[in-house]
């Protein structure tokens, strides 16, 4: 993926939510801010413009001046924080950020700009924006999402940092500051390419009211989404950065429940995870432990079928477990026929 930095605007009064700390409101057991941070986890430096709080990964904190000065003031504070972080790195001084993140080496870094209330934002959305800007070439200053209604979403966008700096400097000179200025004063002066929101992605859906929060919470519990949402929430809660084959584990749990006993499903999946951890962890270790347990569950279920032995005999040799396969010659051993 193309290298980029990120600025997440997480301030604001949240008046339509009664003044609550909106970035901390949970959807699917995860704070809205953490959901956004997960979507831009590949950023070299991530700046969050808000009062510091606990987050799922390290970030650089910044505040607009004055606090509550509006989105343009917050964006300016975020860009300035990125520039300070770059200067610190150039001098070899530490910057509080992900040590393993991708760092851009481009002369004109890209800046992903997001609001902190996007529950359905995903890394695929980030990839679409970066790809659109890369395809458009240097004459274009940025790429932004347009929602299903065709409305521009300047807080679901990626910009060239030089373009942001030029626009911010111009507006500051014209208005003697940023307080209360809307973002559109900046974006209307930029050459932007627009990316239509993919059907049913809801990536630009933001949570301004309690009705929006309720809709987001209901949506993630829909049948086709709930499992992925739950697994992601568990990994986030446990501090796990691991992609697993959920289909394999689900098949294993089904086979253990049906072929052995219902309680065998959670116990077996736990043991698979434990075995994978002892083998060093990682997707390959999970997959290997899962395959072994699936094969065991199949053998167990076969034994309970009247035709189980015949079914196993009819199975191609490559598909049978090692215990079912014919003896083979080993070094120092005579052939079985002798």
């Amino acid at each position: 993926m193309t290298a980029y930095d990120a600025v997440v605007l997480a301030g604001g009064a949240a008046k339509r939510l009664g003044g609550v700390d909106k970035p901390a409101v949970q959807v699917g057991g995860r704070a809205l801010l953490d959901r956004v941070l997960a979507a831009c986890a590949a950023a070299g430096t991530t700046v969050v413009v808000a009062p510091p709080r606990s987050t799922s990964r390290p970030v650089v904190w910044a505040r607009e001046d004055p606090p509550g000065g509006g989105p343009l003031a917050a964006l300016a504070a975020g860009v300035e924080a990125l520039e300070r972080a770059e200067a610190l790195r150039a001098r070899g001084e530490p910057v509080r950020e992900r040590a393993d993140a991708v760092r851009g080496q481009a002369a004109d870094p890209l800046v992903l700009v997001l609001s902190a209330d996007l529950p359905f934002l995903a890394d695929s959305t980030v990839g679409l924006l970066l790809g659109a800007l890369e395809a458009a070439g240097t004459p274009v200053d940025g790429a932004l999402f347009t929602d299903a209604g065709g409305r521009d979403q300047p807080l679901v966008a990626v910009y060239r940092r030089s373009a942001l700096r030029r626009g911010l400097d111009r507006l500051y000179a014209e208005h003697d500051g940023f307080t209360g200025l809307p973002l559109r004063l900046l974006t209307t002066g930029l050459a932007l390419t627009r990316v239509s929101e993919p059907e049913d992605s809801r990536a630009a859906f933001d949570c301004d009211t309690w009705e929006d929060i309720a809709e987001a919470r209901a949506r993630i519990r829909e049948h086709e989404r709930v499992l992925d949402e739950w697994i992601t929430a568990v990994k986030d809660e446990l501090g796990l950065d691991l992609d697993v084959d959920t289909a394999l584990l689900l098949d294993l749990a089904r086979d253990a429940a049906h072929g052995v006993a219902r309680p065998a499903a959670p116990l077996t999946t736990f043991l698979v995870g434990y075995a994978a951890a002892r083998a060093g962890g990682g997707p390959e270790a999970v997959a290997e432990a899962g395959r072994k347990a699936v094969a065991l569950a199949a053998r167990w279920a076969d034994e309970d079928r009247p035709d189980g032995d015949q079914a196993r005999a009819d199975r191609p040799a490559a598909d049978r477990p090692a215990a079912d396969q014919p003896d083979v010659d080993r070094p120092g051993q005579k052939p079985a026929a002798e």
Side-chain angles (χ1 to χ4, degrees):
M1 182 181 288
T2 304
Y4 68 95
D5 294 320
V7 172
V8 181
L9 307 189
K15 292 180 179 177
R16 287 191 279 175
L17 288 172
V20 302
D21 182 11
K22 182 164 69 169
V25 172
Q26 294 197 348
V27 173
R30 303 162 67 204
L32 285 170
L33 176 57
D34 283 342
R35 298 179 75 92
V36 172
L37 292 178
C40 61
T45 298
T46 300
V47 175
V48 178
V49 186
R53 82 275 308 282
S54 176
T55 53
S56 58
R57 65 178 178 86
V59 299
V60 175
W61 296 99
R63 288 304 309 272
E64 69 271 33
D65 185 20
L72 197 55
L75 177 57
V79 171
E80 289 164 7
L82 286 177
E83 293 169 342
R84 287 195 298 271
E86 184 177 68
L88 287 173
R89 276 202 299 271
R91 297 199 298 267
E93 298 182 33
V95 179
R96 292 183 179 180
E97 59 182 348
R98 286 176 61 101
D100 60 344
V102 177
R103 286 179 172 79
Q105 302 298 324
D108 191 2
L110 303 184
V111 181
L112 180 71
V113 177
L114 304 167
S115 63
D117 61 349
L118 302 167
F120 304 120
L121 189 73
D123 56 1
S124 58
T125 306
V126 176
L128 284 174
L129 289 168
L130 293 170
L133 182 53
E134 189 173 19
T138 52
V140 174
D141 295 322
L144 55 73
F145 248 42
T146 58
D147 64 18
R151 295 176 291 271
D152 285 351
Q153 300 296 319
L155 295 181
V156 189
V158 62
Y159 305 93
R160 301 189 191 280
R161 198 172 77 190
S162 63
L164 290 178
R165 174 47 65 199
R166 284 197 312 272
L168 290 167
D169 289 348
R170 173 179 58 82
L171 291 174
Y172 189 90
E174 291 175 356
H175 298 273
D176 194 26
F178 300 112
T179 302
L181 298 181
L183 270 176
R184 67 175 179 274
L185 290 181
L186 175 68
T187 55
T188 54
L190 301 178
L192 301 174
T193 187
R194 285 159 173 81
V195 179
S196 298
E197 183 176 28
E199 186 178 353
D200 202 39
S201 81
R202 304 298 295 276
F205 179 90
D206 56 359
C207 294
D208 291 327
T209 67
W210 286 114
E211 288 75 16
D212 294 335
I213 296 291
E215 183 177 345
R217 287 171 172 169
R219 180 175 170 79
I220 67 167
R221 286 168 170 77
E222 292 174 356
H223 177 72
E224 65 274 13
R225 299 181 61 96
V226 65
L227 187 61
D228 286 340
E229 290 283 353
W230 170 248
I231 294 299
T232 300
V234 171
K235 291 193 295 185
D236 185 60
E237 189 73 14
L238 299 179
L240 299 176
D241 184 13
L242 174 68
D243 290 328
V244 298
D245 187 344
T246 54
L248 173 69
L249 295 179
L250 283 175
D251 287 345
L252 168 59
R254 179 202 62 206
D255 293 345
H258 292 173
V260 184
R262 191 168 297 276
L267 293 173
T268 305
T269 51
F270 164 77
L271 291 171
V272 163
Y274 185 76
R278 291 194 62 183
E284 297 83 3
V286 175
E288 178 61 19
R291 281 192 292 268
K292 289 180 178 179
V294 166
L296 173 61
R299 298 199 303 272
W300 186 289
D302 280 349
E303 291 177 7
D304 200 36
R305 292 169 48 194
D307 62 342
D309 290 330
Q310 183 60 48
R312 287 200 297 166
D314 292 341
R315 219 183 294 164
D319 293 342
R320 292 183 226 148
D324 288 341
Q325 296 192 26
D327 290 338
V328 295
D329 295 343
R330 296 179 179 85
Q333 225 183 13
K334 292 183 179 180
E338 297 180 10

Coordinates of all heavy atoms in Angstrom, one line a residue, residues 53 155 328:
R53 N -6.3 10.3 25.5 CA -7.0 9.3 26.3 C -6.4 8.0 25.9 O -5.6 7.9 25.0 CB -8.5 9.3 26.0 CG -9.1 8.7 24.7 CD -9.0 9.5 23.5 NE -9.6 10.8 23.6 CZ -10.9 11.1 23.6 NH1 -11.8 10.1 23.5 NH2 -11.4 12.3 23.7
L155 N -13.8 14.6 5.3 CA -13.2 14.0 6.5 C -13.2 12.4 6.3 O -13.0 11.7 7.2 CB -13.9 14.3 7.8 CG -13.8 15.7 8.2 CD1 -14.5 16.0 9.5 CD2 -12.4 16.2 8.3
V328 N 4.6 -48.0 4.3 CA 5.6 -47.7 3.2 C 7.0 -48.1 3.7 O 7.2 -48.3 4.9 CB 5.6 -46.2 2.9 CG1 4.3 -45.7 2.4 CG2 6.0 -45.4 4.2

